Amino acid sequence: MQNLLNFIVPIAAPVEENYKALKELLQTLDGHREIFDEIGTVHFARFLFLEKDTTSTNEVYTQLALFTVYDGDFETYIDDFVVKVNDLFNALLKHLEGGEAVIPVNKNLTAFTEYVRKYDRKEEHSYRAYPNLTVQEIKAKFPTEN
Amino acid sequence: METNASEPKLPLADIQGLILRGYNMATVRHFILRIDNADGAKRFIGNLVSGDGETSPQITTAAWWDKKPNYCLNIGFTYNGLEALKLQGDFSLRSDHFEPFKQGAAARGAKIGDEGESAPEHWQGKLGTDEVHILLSVYAQDSNVLESISGSLRSLFRQGEAIHELSHFDGAQLPDNRVHFGYRDGIAQPTIEGVPTVRQLPDKQKVAPAYYFVLIEDDDSSYEVPTPDRLWMNGSFVAFRVLEQDVAGFENLLQQQADKISPEMLAAKMCGRWRNGVPLALSPDTDTKLPEEQLNNFDYSDDRKGVKCPVGSHIRRTNPRNSDQIQGLVETRRIVRRGMPYGPPYDPHSPDDGIKRGLLGMFICTRLDLQFEFIMEEWVNKSEFSGFLSNNSKDPLLGNNSPESSEFDMPDEKTTLKISEFQRFIKTRGGAYCFLPSITGLKYIANN
Ligand code: HEM
């Protein structure tokens, strides 16, 4: 079964500095491709910045968003993500509001899960063409796409 | 003796032996005990680690031995057992990671398939009740030694009516390391970082960090050792399981399908190994013997669909070996297995002998939720984790199957041979989640 995450969190103060740091960090995400392939539960994941800071003369945003479609319960595989990308999570959280309190994530898994829940917005509506197909099933049927 | 090059070294003499080594003893007796008097129980426990083998049998550690002892002894406590010891000071387990242990095996049963006939209310020997406090396991070279050590232990734990024997479960090795159903067992075990071994079979899989099997501080582990350190550090957890095997039912299935597939081939497909232990991954068509060094040196990277070894087979489900073909990681889900069969060998000439047989299984890990329970819940009793399994199919040997829904697929390059309508062959007759303290931990218990 596919699930959605709509995680929207304020960037910690000082916002401009943290925004820049986050922007840089997100550039490195391509290097994590293989890890996400290996865990194999995420259909799509995208990070974006929201809410431009209108008071700033530079381009600065005040919120970070992560939208994903993934298979299974959040709790079932969150440990695996943490095993593989603990450092990345810690690095991101450093710049997010309230994030310091759940670092290091691998030792604060319950708090981290609650943190993600807290900033997960319920969508008003969603459409799924194939709500029951998993990443694994799709890859099994189309091995050449891997 | 070879040590895996990787550090850190574990304090072997402080760690209970069965966590890190197989004893290869002929017999075992698991005592299921209730604590009636905390002080008396603490005296009993203190004697087990006093170093004075004259006064009391001694707990076996993982320290190297030059000469194999006549017996080995290990002890575990349920959460209720720790409470019954009335330890001074807090030993609370604040982290959710230890929730399965805290709740106990009965409360977790439904999650891992202990339903219907296998439900905790039907368990034997008081297992599943709050009265179960201690699991005391004696392994012995022969039954005389077993009786003599049992006698000593009984007279010690009964002193002052400190400890009451609720039941005991006896097991004994079958020839050639076989288990009922006729398979050779005891081949695959994780290679653990920093653990010396005599006979570790070469293994394509990664060496497993020790923190998955022994509670130690490690920056990479997903837990913190609970406090007080002296109680928890270098300990581990075990899921003790009494698993009854329906051998006649299993053999019947093999015969019923004989027009579609040879009984030996079907048995091999269901397990992932031929009955003599040869893995299908290396030898899909014949059970011709392979050298021992090859028996655990394989993975499934060249067999995504499971043409050689079905994705649904017991060993491929319980250890898929390659993470890239399933949801989640494999490396976080390794377990140490120590099991011994119970009941005499099955005699095909008297299939309905009414004698109970099965396996007394010990599944050891530091995160029962992430390791043992995950394997049972997601891999044994579900199919979503792989893209190559029929929906709702389960482990054909171990799964909580029922004739209405059971299915097992054996693909070849073009078609898939499917069998269905088979029953559950392995039923749970008892279980207990226990903490296996270190020697330091046992001394702490004795003195607090
Ligand atoms: C009566 C019950 C059971 C029987 C008869 C049985 C039988 C077997 C056999 C014949 C093997 C292959 C031998 C080997 O690789 O060493 C095996 C492997 C294994 N079994 Fe079971 N098993 C039982 C219960 C369980 C349970 C409850 C678990 C749950 C965690 C489990 C997990 C495993 C694992 C992890 C392996 C090793 C797989 C590998 O690394 O390739 N088994 N079992």
Side-chain angles (χ1 to χ4, degrees):
Chain A
M1 227 264 296
Q2 293 166 15
N3 288 302
L4 306 177
L5 177 74
N6 310 304
F7 177 75
I8 304 176
V9 59
I11 293 172
V15 175
E16 177 158 0
E17 212 171 280
N18 283 318
Y19 161 73
K20 282 189 182 145
L22 284 166
K23 193 150 174 116
E24 245 171 64
L25 264 173
L26 296 180
Q27 305 304 317
T28 68
L29 274 183
D30 251 351
H32 292 81
R33 253 205 97 81
E34 278 173 17
I35 292 170
F36 288 86
D37 280 348
E38 187 180 357
I39 295 178
T41 56
V42 177
H43 292 254
F44 307 99
R46 48 209 181 276
F47 284 95
L48 40 142
F49 291 107
L50 302 176
E51 296 296 324
K52 211 166 186 168
D53 181 355
T54 47
T55 62
S56 174
T57 46
N58 298 331
E59 192 189 73
V60 176
Y61 286 84
T62 62
Q63 297 179 337
L64 174 71
L66 163 63
F67 301 122
T68 80
V69 182
Y70 64 95
D71 297 324
D73 289 334
F74 185 79
E75 275 85 2
T76 313
Y77 293 105
I78 189 62
D79 289 84
D80 288 355
F81 282 100
V82 170
V83 164
K84 285 289 176 181
V85 292
N86 190 37
D87 293 345
L88 172 70
F89 282 161
N90 292 340
L92 289 169
L93 284 161
K94 236 171 80 185
H95 308 291
L96 300 175
E97 204 171 274
E100 289 281 358
V102 297
I103 300 175
V105 170
N106 66 338
K107 306 289 180 186
N108 293 292
L109 217 65
T110 311
F112 174 66
T113 307
E114 278 162 17
Y115 182 85
V116 175
R117 283 266 143 77
K118 180 174 159 197
Y119 292 104
D120 181 16
R121 306 265 185 93
K122 270 280 135 288
E123 61 281 350
E124 298 302 325
H125 179 72
S126 70
Y127 164 79
R128 280 168 260 200
Y130 44 86
N132 293 318
L133 280 183
T134 63
V135 172
Q136 292 304 323
E137 284 171 306
I138 294 166
K139 285 191 168 182
K141 292 200 175 73
F142 303 102
T144 50
E145 296 284 312
N146 293 325
Chain B
M1 167 167 118
E2 268 178 55
T3 311
N4 301 319
S6 36
E7 298 292 316
K9 284 255 179 40
L10 294 166
L12 299 178
D14 199 36
I15 298 171
Q16 290 206 50
L18 88 164
I19 302 170
L20 298 179
R21 63 145 49 121
Y23 296 143
N24 196 17
M25 290 277 183
T27 61
V28 68
R29 174 166 296 157
H30 298 283
F31 288 98
I32 311 299
L33 305 174
R34 183 185 72 213
I35 297 168
D36 287 337
N37 173 310
D39 289 335
K42 287 175 189 173
R43 261 191 304 280
F44 171 70
I45 295 160
N47 283 332
L48 298 176
V49 288
S50 65
D52 175 7
E54 299 290 303
T55 323
S56 160
Q58 296 292 298
I59 296 293
T60 307
T61 74
W64 199 250
W65 62 44
D66 295 322
K67 188 173 161 285
K68 187 165 169 169
N70 286 332
Y71 76 91
C72 293
L73 179 64
N74 291 110
I75 189 166
F77 299 86
T78 63
Y79 190 74
N80 287 322
L82 289 183
E83 288 192 322
L85 285 163
K86 303 200 174 89
L87 298 175
Q88 288 161 33
D90 187 21
F91 66 88
S92 63
L93 288 167
R94 265 176 296 269
S95 162
D96 290 356
H97 299 154
F98 305 106
E99 209 43 38
F101 170 64
K102 232 170 146 168
Q103 291 178 13
R108 309 288 289 187
K111 213 174 144 57
I112 63 167
D114 295 339
E115 291 165 317
E117 258 189 274
S118 294
E121 59 264 31
H122 305 304
W123 287 357
Q124 298 165 349
K126 293 266 182 178
L127 287 168
T129 69
D130 290 351
E131 287 180 69
V132 175
H133 294 158
I134 295 179
L135 172 69
L136 184 65
S137 306
V138 189
Y139 301 78
Q141 298 267 30
D142 60 49
S143 53
N144 291 334
V145 177
L146 185 72
E147 291 309 332
S148 122
I149 300 296
S150 297
S152 312
L153 289 167
R154 280 185 173 125
S155 67
L156 287 165
F157 66 64
R158 281 178 187 154
Q159 269 173 33
E161 304 194 343
I163 293 177
H164 174 78
E165 182 175 334
L166 297 168
S167 60
H168 64 267
F169 293 86
D170 286 0
Q173 265 190 1
L174 296 175
D176 187 32
N177 267 321
R178 301 281 170 137
V179 288
H180 296 297
F181 297 164
Y183 299 103
R184 192 181 145 194
D185 197 2
I187 303 165
Q189 290 288 4
T191 308
I192 305 172
E193 189 173 53
V195 178
T197 53
V198 235
R199 192 207 64 136
Q200 184 78 52
L201 295 175
D203 188 347
K204 267 195 164 178
Q205 303 169 93
K206 285 187 206 159
V207 170
Y211 58 75
Y212 285 122
F213 310 100
V214 183
L215 288 171
I216 48 175
E217 288 297 355
D218 191 301
D219 287 346
D220 291 333
S221 80
S222 64
Y223 60 79
E224 276 178 293
V225 178
T227 51
D229 280 12
R230 280 169 57 222
L231 176 59
W232 298 103
M233 190 83 78
N234 296 324
S236 191
F237 294 96
V238 61
F240 170 67
R241 311 277 289 163
V242 181
L243 300 169
E244 187 177 317
Q245 294 173 252
D246 174 5
V247 185
F250 174 72
E251 294 293 340
N252 269 340
L253 172 79
L254 301 183
Q255 295 309 325
Q256 277 161 19
Q257 306 292 330
D259 54 333
K260 290 190 228 153
I261 179 169
S262 85
E264 282 312 307
M265 179 61 117
L266 179 54
K269 292 273 185 188
M270 289 171 77
C271 179
R273 290 185 188 272
W274 297 91
R275 291 214 245 208
N276 66 3
V278 170
L280 285 177
L282 298 182
S283 180
D285 304 315
T286 151
D287 69 353
T288 307
K289 281 214 157 162
L290 290 177
E292 284 290 303
E293 315 83 76
Q294 291 187 23
L295 294 185
N296 199 33
N297 204 13
F298 61 90
D299 63 24
Y300 306 109
S301 50
D302 65 346
D303 185 28
R304 286 168 49 90
K305 275 173 67 180
V307 171
K308 288 196 268 181
C309 178
V311 176
S313 64
H314 177 61
I315 70 161
R316 191 158 173 179
R317 277 181 179 263
T318 53
N319 181 9
R321 294 183 184 230
N322 300 81
S323 295
D324 56 350
Q325 298 167 16
I326 54 153
Q327 291 181 342
L329 303 178
V330 171
E331 62 199 69
T332 52
R333 315 238 136 78
R334 307 298 308 279
I335 46 168
V336 165
R337 298 177 298 130
R338 311 278 178 222
M340 190 107 74
Y342 66 91
Y346 171 77
D347 175 0
H349 301 296
S350 50
D352 302 314
D353 58 9
I355 300 174
K356 306 287 185 212
R357 15 177 100 69
L359 186 82
L360 302 173
M362 305 279 267
F363 301 93
I364 299 171
C365 56
T366 47
R367 289 277 309 266
L368 285 167
D369 56 346
L370 204 64
Q371 296 166 267
F372 173 72
E373 288 189 343
F374 182 96
I375 295 176
M376 291 302 299
E377 190 178 3
E378 300 294 330
W379 289 349
V380 169
N381 284 319
K382 285 187 191 165
S383 58
E384 284 80 5
F385 71 93
S386 162
F388 290 99
L389 290 169
S390 283
N391 276 345
N392 305 319
S393 64
K394 301 175 181 187
D395 185 325
L397 280 187
L398 181 61
N400 173 18
N401 285 301
S402 66
E404 298 78 52
S405 58
S406 58
E407 274 182 71
F408 177 56
D409 289 344
M410 292 163 275
D412 65 21
E413 290 302 344
K414 289 184 215 76
T415 57
T416 292
L417 176 61
K418 187 190 278 296
I419 60 165
S420 54
E421 293 177 39
F422 53 90
Q423 74 270 33
R424 178 173 186 164
F425 297 117
I426 297 177
K427 292 180 188 119
T428 313
R429 295 302 184 206
Y433 286 170
C434 297
F435 174 59
L436 304 166
S438 66
I439 303 305
T440 307
L442 292 169
K443 289 181 178 161
Y444 175 89
I445 290 173
N447 297 323
N448 279 272

